[in-house]
């Protein structure tokens, strides 16, 4: 148990576990749904997974929308890598930025959860169909996350394998 907790990074705690715990607490305190395990490890897994979903919603949905409307801007990834190698503070700033993005997604997910009865009254589907829609949605969310992560890896490898004279 201590080994598991020791392996959690600050990023995992702030980006996944805390938002997941806040969401689970919100659902419970709002009387919407209760997720609970009999063990601390079980609760951490629930919090982590809920937070991971919320974080991915922030990364795959919220961030692109904010970029599309011009609310946030990004440098070229190769410039980011070069600057990160020279300034370690950029990584800390990136983690804070990702935390804020996750909190935005958390607020949106809480708003959707609190409006779920209204949503299901507008779109009438059987419970099994909603479960299928949810599973397909989660699969799509993680497929997009997988593609985004691999894009970062591809760009990073390209940055480090490009010759100095290449553009």
């Amino acid at each position: 148990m201590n080994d598991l907790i020791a392996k959690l990074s600050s990023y995992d705690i702030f980006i996944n576990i805390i938002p997941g715990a806040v969401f689970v607490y919100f659902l419970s305190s709002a009387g919407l749904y209760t997720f609970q395990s009999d063990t601390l490890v079980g609760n951490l897994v629930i919090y982590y997974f809920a937070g991971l979903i919320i974080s991915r919603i922030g990364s795959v949905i919220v961030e692109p929308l904010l970029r599309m409307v011009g609310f946030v801007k990004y440098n070229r990834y190769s410039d980011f890598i070069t600057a990160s190698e020279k300034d370690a503070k950029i990584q800390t700033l990136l983690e804070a930025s990702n935390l804020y993005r996750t909190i935005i997604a958390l607020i949106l997910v809480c708003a959707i959860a609190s409006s779920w009865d209204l949503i299901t009254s507008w779109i009438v589907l059987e419970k099994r169909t909603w479960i299928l829609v949810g599973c397909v949605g989660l699969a799509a969310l993680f497929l997009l996350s997988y593609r985004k992560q691999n894009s970062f890896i591809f760009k990073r490898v390209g940055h480090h394998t490009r010759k100095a004279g290449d553009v």
Side-chain angles (χ1 to χ4, degrees):
M1 170 69 174
N2 288 340
D3 289 339
L4 176 67
I5 292 173
K7 290 182 182 180
L8 291 173
S9 68
S10 64
Y11 190 85
D12 284 326
I13 292 168
F14 288 109
I15 303 298
N16 295 321
I17 294 175
I18 291 175
V22 169
F23 180 65
V24 168
Y25 177 78
F26 169 80
L27 290 178
S28 178
S29 66
L32 299 172
Y33 201 83
T34 302
F35 294 99
Q36 192 170 333
S37 172
D38 293 332
T39 66
L40 175 62
V41 172
N43 283 332
L44 284 175
V45 169
I46 291 169
Y47 301 157
Y48 185 87
F49 190 66
L52 183 63
I53 292 168
I54 292 165
S55 172
R56 297 301 79 213
I57 289 169
S59 176
V60 172
I61 297 171
V62 172
E63 178 184 311
L65 287 174
L66 293 175
R67 288 176 78 174
M68 188 172 59
V69 300
F71 190 80
V72 293
K73 295 182 181 2
Y74 287 87
N75 296 94
R76 288 186 328 198
Y77 191 67
S78 60
D79 292 342
F80 168 78
I81 294 169
T82 301
S84 295
E85 291 168 350
K86 296 176 182 175
D87 183 354
K89 183 78 171 170
I90 290 174
Q91 190 61 36
T92 303
L93 296 170
L94 177 64
E95 284 187 23
S97 175
N98 288 347
L99 174 61
Y100 301 145
R101 181 189 67 203
T102 299
I103 290 172
I104 294 165
L106 172 63
I107 293 165
L108 294 174
V109 169
C110 286
I112 291 168
S114 66
S115 304
W116 193 247
D117 288 342
L118 183 61
I119 293 167
T120 57
S121 72
W122 289 341
I123 307 169
V124 181
L125 298 174
E126 292 182 29
K127 184 177 181 179
R128 290 185 84 149
T129 305
W130 277 115
I131 292 170
L132 180 61
V133 167
C135 289
V136 169
L138 283 175
L141 180 68
F142 281 97
L143 279 169
L144 292 170
S145 295
Y146 178 64
R147 182 176 73 178
K148 183 177 179 181
Q149 192 67 29
N150 276 303
S151 173
F152 285 132
I153 294 167
F154 181 82
K155 290 175 186 175
R156 193 165 188 99
V157 168
H159 175 80
H160 288 292
T161 56
R162 188 174 0 136
K163 294 178 184 165
D166 293 346
V167 176

